[in-house]
Amino acid sequence: MKKKPLFSIVVPTFNSREYVVECVQSALNQTYDPIEVVVDDNTSHDGTVKLLQDAFGDDPRLKLFLNTEDLNIPQGWNRGMQRATGDYLLLLHSDNLLHPQYVELIVENLALFNGSVAYSECHYFDGTTPHDLFAK
């Protein structure tokens, strides 16, 4: 039987206490397995790290890295990508949520079309999309 590819979700954080648990929970609640969630914290001082450790400390799918300096989001993603071990990679902001089947559908479509890169549109909490905002 062919082994399923590992899917890495990379989340840079900086003072994200307000919403990071919900973000990481949505990543860990994927119907697809295997996944890893790589959180790369940029010296948060609002309790983000402790909150993540308390909420997910025993989940082996979560890899939490603490930077010694504040990196901006692109550098945080770069560092997270270097630490990720998956066959596929998703870059996620710490205030984003994933639908539970997101990764499963992405992997299915990558296989169906023999793809290596995928893009999907997002929906905001009010139901609009980025296209809706710019179509006006």
PDB file of all heavy atoms in Angstrom, residues 42-67:
ATOM      1  N   ASN A  42       7.540  34.265  17.056  1.00  0.00           N
ATOM      2  CA  ASN A  42       8.491  35.369  16.927  1.00  0.00           C
ATOM      3  C   ASN A  42       8.548  36.204  18.202  1.00  0.00           C
ATOM      4  O   ASN A  42       8.207  37.374  18.205  1.00  0.00           O
ATOM      5  CB  ASN A  42       8.107  36.246  15.734  1.00  0.00           C
ATOM      6  CG  ASN A  42       8.259  35.514  14.439  1.00  0.00           C
ATOM      7  OD1 ASN A  42       9.242  34.818  14.230  1.00  0.00           O
ATOM      8  ND2 ASN A  42       7.281  35.627  13.563  1.00  0.00           N
ATOM      9  N   THR A  43       8.973  35.603  19.278  1.00  0.00           N
ATOM     10  CA  THR A  43       9.175  36.249  20.584  1.00  0.00           C
ATOM     11  C   THR A  43       7.917  36.921  21.141  1.00  0.00           C
ATOM     12  O   THR A  43       7.966  38.043  21.634  1.00  0.00           O
ATOM     13  CB  THR A  43      10.345  37.276  20.551  1.00  0.00           C
ATOM     14  OG1 THR A  43       9.995  38.369  19.689  1.00  0.00           O
ATOM     15  CG2 THR A  43      11.637  36.647  20.089  1.00  0.00           C
ATOM     16  N   SER A  44       6.799  36.216  21.080  1.00  0.00           N
ATOM     17  CA  SER A  44       5.566  36.750  21.659  1.00  0.00           C
ATOM     18  C   SER A  44       5.758  37.030  23.140  1.00  0.00           C
ATOM     19  O   SER A  44       6.448  36.294  23.844  1.00  0.00           O
ATOM     20  CB  SER A  44       4.422  35.736  21.502  1.00  0.00           C
ATOM     21  OG  SER A  44       4.043  35.612  20.155  1.00  0.00           O
ATOM     22  N   HIS A  45       5.112  38.083  23.620  1.00  0.00           N
ATOM     23  CA  HIS A  45       5.179  38.412  25.042  1.00  0.00           C
ATOM     24  C   HIS A  45       3.785  38.562  25.641  1.00  0.00           C
ATOM     25  O   HIS A  45       3.627  39.161  26.702  1.00  0.00           O
ATOM     26  CB  HIS A  45       6.029  39.668  25.283  1.00  0.00           C
ATOM     27  CG  HIS A  45       5.694  40.817  24.393  1.00  0.00           C
ATOM     28  ND1 HIS A  45       4.626  41.655  24.621  1.00  0.00           N
ATOM     29  CD2 HIS A  45       6.276  41.237  23.250  1.00  0.00           C
ATOM     30  CE1 HIS A  45       4.573  42.559  23.658  1.00  0.00           C
ATOM     31  NE2 HIS A  45       5.559  42.335  22.818  1.00  0.00           N
ATOM     32  N   ASP A  46       2.768  37.997  24.986  1.00  0.00           N
ATOM     33  CA  ASP A  46       1.395  38.084  25.475  1.00  0.00           C
ATOM     34  C   ASP A  46       0.859  36.746  25.979  1.00  0.00           C
ATOM     35  O   ASP A  46      -0.326  36.613  26.241  1.00  0.00           O
ATOM     36  CB  ASP A  46       0.476  38.607  24.371  1.00  0.00           C
ATOM     37  CG  ASP A  46       0.293  37.616  23.232  1.00  0.00           C
ATOM     38  OD1 ASP A  46       1.115  36.673  23.110  1.00  0.00           O
ATOM     39  OD2 ASP A  46      -0.670  37.772  22.472  1.00  0.00           O
ATOM     40  N   GLY A  47       1.731  35.743  26.107  1.00  0.00           N
ATOM     41  CA  GLY A  47       1.284  34.437  26.584  1.00  0.00           C
ATOM     42  C   GLY A  47       0.915  33.471  25.474  1.00  0.00           C
ATOM     43  O   GLY A  47       0.392  32.387  25.760  1.00  0.00           O
ATOM     44  N   THR A  48       1.162  33.821  24.219  1.00  0.00           N
ATOM     45  CA  THR A  48       0.833  32.948  23.092  1.00  0.00           C
ATOM     46  C   THR A  48       1.442  31.558  23.260  1.00  0.00           C
ATOM     47  O   THR A  48       0.755  30.546  23.113  1.00  0.00           O
ATOM     48  CB  THR A  48       1.317  33.571  21.766  1.00  0.00           C
ATOM     49  OG1 THR A  48       0.584  34.771  21.519  1.00  0.00           O
ATOM     50  CG2 THR A  48       1.142  32.628  20.595  1.00  0.00           C
ATOM     51  N   VAL A  49       2.717  31.500  23.583  1.00  0.00           N
ATOM     52  CA  VAL A  49       3.424  30.223  23.676  1.00  0.00           C
ATOM     53  C   VAL A  49       2.851  29.355  24.793  1.00  0.00           C
ATOM     54  O   VAL A  49       2.554  28.178  24.588  1.00  0.00           O
ATOM     55  CB  VAL A  49       4.942  30.443  23.868  1.00  0.00           C
ATOM     56  CG1 VAL A  49       5.652  29.135  24.161  1.00  0.00           C
ATOM     57  CG2 VAL A  49       5.534  31.119  22.633  1.00  0.00           C
ATOM     58  N   LYS A  50       2.652  29.916  25.965  1.00  0.00           N
ATOM     59  CA  LYS A  50       2.104  29.152  27.084  1.00  0.00           C
ATOM     60  C   LYS A  50       0.705  28.646  26.757  1.00  0.00           C
ATOM     61  O   LYS A  50       0.361  27.507  27.064  1.00  0.00           O
ATOM     62  CB  LYS A  50       2.072  29.988  28.361  1.00  0.00           C
ATOM     63  CG  LYS A  50       1.417  29.255  29.525  1.00  0.00           C
ATOM     64  CD  LYS A  50       2.031  29.580  30.829  1.00  0.00           C
ATOM     65  CE  LYS A  50       1.409  28.930  32.029  1.00  0.00           C
ATOM     66  NZ  LYS A  50       0.827  27.630  31.886  1.00  0.00           N
ATOM     67  N   LEU A  51      -0.088  29.479  26.123  1.00  0.00           N
ATOM     68  CA  LEU A  51      -1.439  29.084  25.730  1.00  0.00           C
ATOM     69  C   LEU A  51      -1.391  27.879  24.792  1.00  0.00           C
ATOM     70  O   LEU A  51      -2.147  26.915  24.959  1.00  0.00           O
ATOM     71  CB  LEU A  51      -2.135  30.266  25.062  1.00  0.00           C
ATOM     72  CG  LEU A  51      -3.635  30.204  24.894  1.00  0.00           C
ATOM     73  CD1 LEU A  51      -4.333  30.183  26.244  1.00  0.00           C
ATOM     74  CD2 LEU A  51      -4.103  31.409  24.092  1.00  0.00           C
ATOM     75  N   LEU A  52      -0.496  27.905  23.818  1.00  0.00           N
ATOM     76  CA  LEU A  52      -0.345  26.779  22.891  1.00  0.00           C
ATOM     77  C   LEU A  52       0.156  25.536  23.612  1.00  0.00           C
ATOM     78  O   LEU A  52      -0.334  24.424  23.371  1.00  0.00           O
ATOM     79  CB  LEU A  52       0.595  27.144  21.746  1.00  0.00           C
ATOM     80  CG  LEU A  52       0.042  28.120  20.715  1.00  0.00           C
ATOM     81  CD1 LEU A  52       1.148  28.582  19.785  1.00  0.00           C
ATOM     82  CD2 LEU A  52      -1.092  27.491  19.926  1.00  0.00           C
ATOM     83  N   GLN A  53       1.136  25.717  24.488  1.00  0.00           N
ATOM     84  CA  GLN A  53       1.660  24.573  25.244  1.00  0.00           C
ATOM     85  C   GLN A  53       0.579  23.959  26.122  1.00  0.00           C
ATOM     86  O   GLN A  53       0.456  22.731  26.199  1.00  0.00           O
ATOM     87  CB  GLN A  53       2.861  25.004  26.094  1.00  0.00           C
ATOM     88  CG  GLN A  53       4.078  25.325  25.270  1.00  0.00           C
ATOM     89  CD  GLN A  53       5.183  26.002  26.070  1.00  0.00           C
ATOM     90  OE1 GLN A  53       4.927  26.717  27.058  1.00  0.00           O
ATOM     91  NE2 GLN A  53       6.427  25.807  25.633  1.00  0.00           N
ATOM     92  N   ASP A  54      -0.229  24.779  26.774  1.00  0.00           N
ATOM     93  CA  ASP A  54      -1.307  24.273  27.629  1.00  0.00           C
ATOM     94  C   ASP A  54      -2.384  23.570  26.814  1.00  0.00           C
ATOM     95  O   ASP A  54      -2.921  22.546  27.232  1.00  0.00           O
ATOM     96  CB  ASP A  54      -1.938  25.410  28.442  1.00  0.00           C
ATOM     97  CG  ASP A  54      -1.014  25.957  29.518  1.00  0.00           C
ATOM     98  OD1 ASP A  54       0.028  25.311  29.813  1.00  0.00           O
ATOM     99  OD2 ASP A  54      -1.323  27.034  30.056  1.00  0.00           O
ATOM    100  N   ALA A  55      -2.710  24.118  25.655  1.00  0.00           N
ATOM    101  CA  ALA A  55      -3.793  23.566  24.842  1.00  0.00           C
ATOM    102  C   ALA A  55      -3.382  22.315  24.069  1.00  0.00           C
ATOM    103  O   ALA A  55      -4.179  21.394  23.905  1.00  0.00           O
ATOM    104  CB  ALA A  55      -4.306  24.630  23.869  1.00  0.00           C
ATOM    105  N   PHE A  56      -2.137  22.263  23.584  1.00  0.00           N
ATOM    106  CA  PHE A  56      -1.736  21.197  22.663  1.00  0.00           C
ATOM    107  C   PHE A  56      -0.421  20.530  23.032  1.00  0.00           C
ATOM    108  O   PHE A  56       0.150  19.804  22.218  1.00  0.00           O
ATOM    109  CB  PHE A  56      -1.597  21.758  21.245  1.00  0.00           C
ATOM    110  CG  PHE A  56      -2.780  22.539  20.783  1.00  0.00           C
ATOM    111  CD1 PHE A  56      -2.714  23.918  20.654  1.00  0.00           C
ATOM    112  CD2 PHE A  56      -3.977  21.901  20.487  1.00  0.00           C
ATOM    113  CE1 PHE A  56      -3.805  24.647  20.228  1.00  0.00           C
ATOM    114  CE2 PHE A  56      -5.076  22.622  20.059  1.00  0.00           C
ATOM    115  CZ  PHE A  56      -4.993  23.996  19.932  1.00  0.00           C
ATOM    116  N   GLY A  57       0.076  20.752  24.227  1.00  0.00           N
ATOM    117  CA  GLY A  57       1.399  20.293  24.622  1.00  0.00           C
ATOM    118  C   GLY A  57       1.690  18.829  24.391  1.00  0.00           C
ATOM    119  O   GLY A  57       2.821  18.456  24.118  1.00  0.00           O
ATOM    120  N   ASP A  58       0.688  17.968  24.462  1.00  0.00           N
ATOM    121  CA  ASP A  58       0.940  16.536  24.304  1.00  0.00           C
ATOM    122  C   ASP A  58       0.603  16.019  22.909  1.00  0.00           C
ATOM    123  O   ASP A  58       0.659  14.825  22.658  1.00  0.00           O
ATOM    124  CB  ASP A  58       0.174  15.743  25.367  1.00  0.00           C
ATOM    125  CG  ASP A  58      -1.337  15.925  25.255  1.00  0.00           C
ATOM    126  OD1 ASP A  58      -1.791  16.859  24.565  1.00  0.00           O
ATOM    127  OD2 ASP A  58      -2.068  15.111  25.858  1.00  0.00           O
ATOM    128  N   ASP A  59       0.256  16.903  21.986  1.00  0.00           N
ATOM    129  CA  ASP A  59      -0.084  16.469  20.626  1.00  0.00           C
ATOM    130  C   ASP A  59       1.199  16.413  19.790  1.00  0.00           C
ATOM    131  O   ASP A  59       1.796  17.444  19.498  1.00  0.00           O
ATOM    132  CB  ASP A  59      -1.091  17.426  19.990  1.00  0.00           C
ATOM    133  CG  ASP A  59      -1.700  16.874  18.717  1.00  0.00           C
ATOM    134  OD1 ASP A  59      -0.985  16.197  17.939  1.00  0.00           O
ATOM    135  OD2 ASP A  59      -2.901  17.106  18.494  1.00  0.00           O
ATOM    136  N   PRO A  60       1.627  15.215  19.387  1.00  0.00           N
ATOM    137  CA  PRO A  60       2.890  15.087  18.648  1.00  0.00           C
ATOM    138  C   PRO A  60       2.843  15.705  17.247  1.00  0.00           C
ATOM    139  O   PRO A  60       3.885  15.906  16.630  1.00  0.00           O
ATOM    140  CB  PRO A  60       3.106  13.575  18.572  1.00  0.00           C
ATOM    141  CG  PRO A  60       1.744  12.992  18.695  1.00  0.00           C
ATOM    142  CD  PRO A  60       0.972  13.924  19.586  1.00  0.00           C
ATOM    143  N   ARG A  61       1.652  16.041  16.758  1.00  0.00           N
ATOM    144  CA  ARG A  61       1.539  16.666  15.432  1.00  0.00           C
ATOM    145  C   ARG A  61       1.916  18.138  15.467  1.00  0.00           C
ATOM    146  O   ARG A  61       2.174  18.738  14.429  1.00  0.00           O
ATOM    147  CB  ARG A  61       0.125  16.506  14.884  1.00  0.00           C
ATOM    148  CG  ARG A  61      -0.291  15.048  14.718  1.00  0.00           C
ATOM    149  CD  ARG A  61      -1.753  14.940  14.369  1.00  0.00           C
ATOM    150  NE  ARG A  61      -2.537  15.539  15.444  1.00  0.00           N
ATOM    151  CZ  ARG A  61      -3.814  15.910  15.309  1.00  0.00           C
ATOM    152  NH1 ARG A  61      -4.435  15.758  14.167  1.00  0.00           N
ATOM    153  NH2 ARG A  61      -4.459  16.439  16.336  1.00  0.00           N
ATOM    154  N   LEU A  62       1.934  18.746  16.661  1.00  0.00           N
ATOM    155  CA  LEU A  62       2.298  20.152  16.796  1.00  0.00           C
ATOM    156  C   LEU A  62       3.783  20.273  17.094  1.00  0.00           C
ATOM    157  O   LEU A  62       4.291  19.685  18.048  1.00  0.00           O
ATOM    158  CB  LEU A  62       1.504  20.821  17.922  1.00  0.00           C
ATOM    159  CG  LEU A  62       1.875  22.284  18.181  1.00  0.00           C
ATOM    160  CD1 LEU A  62       1.519  23.161  16.984  1.00  0.00           C
ATOM    161  CD2 LEU A  62       1.192  22.791  19.436  1.00  0.00           C
ATOM    162  N   LYS A  63       4.464  21.060  16.270  1.00  0.00           N
ATOM    163  CA  LYS A  63       5.878  21.357  16.476  1.00  0.00           C
ATOM    164  C   LYS A  63       5.981  22.852  16.737  1.00  0.00           C
ATOM    165  O   LYS A  63       5.728  23.663  15.848  1.00  0.00           O
ATOM    166  CB  LYS A  63       6.695  20.959  15.258  1.00  0.00           C
ATOM    167  CG  LYS A  63       6.661  19.466  14.985  1.00  0.00           C
ATOM    168  CD  LYS A  63       7.470  19.117  13.767  1.00  0.00           C
ATOM    169  CE  LYS A  63       7.478  17.614  13.545  1.00  0.00           C
ATOM    170  NZ  LYS A  63       8.263  17.258  12.365  1.00  0.00           N
ATOM    171  N   LEU A  64       6.324  23.206  17.960  1.00  0.00           N
ATOM    172  CA  LEU A  64       6.385  24.604  18.378  1.00  0.00           C
ATOM    173  C   LEU A  64       7.835  25.033  18.502  1.00  0.00           C
ATOM    174  O   LEU A  64       8.599  24.453  19.270  1.00  0.00           O
ATOM    175  CB  LEU A  64       5.652  24.767  19.717  1.00  0.00           C
ATOM    176  CG  LEU A  64       5.620  26.146  20.346  1.00  0.00           C
ATOM    177  CD1 LEU A  64       4.969  27.170  19.419  1.00  0.00           C
ATOM    178  CD2 LEU A  64       4.884  26.088  21.678  1.00  0.00           C
ATOM    179  N   PHE A  65       8.201  26.046  17.733  1.00  0.00           N
ATOM    180  CA  PHE A  65       9.565  26.576  17.739  1.00  0.00           C
ATOM    181  C   PHE A  65       9.543  28.014  18.232  1.00  0.00           C
ATOM    182  O   PHE A  65       8.692  28.805  17.831  1.00  0.00           O
ATOM    183  CB  PHE A  65      10.181  26.522  16.334  1.00  0.00           C
ATOM    184  CG  PHE A  65      10.356  25.132  15.814  1.00  0.00           C
ATOM    185  CD1 PHE A  65       9.398  24.565  14.982  1.00  0.00           C
ATOM    186  CD2 PHE A  65      11.465  24.383  16.164  1.00  0.00           C
ATOM    187  CE1 PHE A  65       9.555  23.272  14.507  1.00  0.00           C
ATOM    188  CE2 PHE A  65      11.629  23.095  15.688  1.00  0.00           C
ATOM    189  CZ  PHE A  65      10.675  22.540  14.860  1.00  0.00           C
ATOM    190  N   LEU A  66      10.498  28.345  19.099  1.00  0.00           N
ATOM    191  CA  LEU A  66      10.587  29.684  19.669  1.00  0.00           C
ATOM    192  C   LEU A  66      11.818  30.379  19.119  1.00  0.00           C
ATOM    193  O   LEU A  66      12.942  29.932  19.344  1.00  0.00           O
ATOM    194  CB  LEU A  66      10.676  29.599  21.196  1.00  0.00           C
ATOM    195  CG  LEU A  66       9.619  28.713  21.876  1.00  0.00           C
ATOM    196  CD1 LEU A  66       9.845  28.689  23.376  1.00  0.00           C
ATOM    197  CD2 LEU A  66       8.232  29.181  21.527  1.00  0.00           C
ATOM    198  N   ASN A  67      11.603  31.457  18.408  1.00  0.00           N
ATOM    199  CA  ASN A  67      12.720  32.227  17.875  1.00  0.00           C
ATOM    200  C   ASN A  67      13.296  33.127  18.961  1.00  0.00           C
ATOM    201  O   ASN A  67      12.585  33.543  19.874  1.00  0.00           O
ATOM    202  CB  ASN A  67      12.266  33.076  16.688  1.00  0.00           C
ATOM    203  CG  ASN A  67      11.865  32.215  15.515  1.00  0.00           C
ATOM    204  OD1 ASN A  67      12.528  31.241  15.203  1.00  0.00           O
ATOM    205  ND2 ASN A  67      10.764  32.559  14.869  1.00  0.00           N
TER     206      ASN A  67
END
